[in-house]
Amino acid sequence: MATTAVSGPEPLSKTYLKDFDWKVQVMLGSDKIATKTSVPNLVLSLTLAKQDGSSEDVQLELTQEDLDHLLSELHKSQRVVKALKV
């Protein structure tokens, strides 16, 4: 089995979150939907910085269910990272 000496933590990705913005949009109705609705969606805008100095804008639209799932997964990831630091 080969082993490799590591001088410090290596980043998993050279891309990182530079900035973000969010807003809530509510659809009150649509010409494609016969009945009126009131569905809130979160619009999350992310600016990702890359190693080469460029940036990328990513926009996500999440329902309440999608947001709950995302937050749950982020909490799981946070627990794993904390366990690795020990």
Side-chain angles (χ1 to χ4, degrees):
M1 178 197 293
T3 60
T4 304
V6 178
S7 61
E10 291 292 320
L12 296 176
S13 174
K14 302 294 183 183
T15 303
Y16 64 92
L17 180 63
K18 182 178 179 182
D19 195 13
F20 72 95
D21 192 18
W22 64 273
K23 62 184 171 183
V24 176
Q25 293 181 335
V26 178
M27 180 177 21
L28 300 175
S30 170
D31 60 347
K32 299 188 185 334
I33 301 173
T35 60
K36 291 191 176 194
T37 62
S38 179
V39 180
N41 284 326
L42 173 73
V43 178
L44 182 60
S45 300
L46 307 173
T47 301
L48 306 175
K50 298 182 179 185
Q51 184 180 15
D52 63 6
S54 65
S55 64
E56 178 183 0
D57 292 325
V58 177
Q59 193 170 52
L60 304 170
E61 187 169 320
L62 305 168
T63 63
Q64 179 69 46
E65 182 179 321
D66 294 336
L67 179 59
D68 290 341
H69 180 73
L70 175 62
L71 291 174
S72 173
E73 293 300 313
L74 289 173
H75 284 268
K76 288 178 189 176
S77 298
Q78 183 182 32
R79 286 193 294 272
V80 169
V81 169
K82 283 183 179 181
L84 292 173
K85 289 184 178 181
V86 173

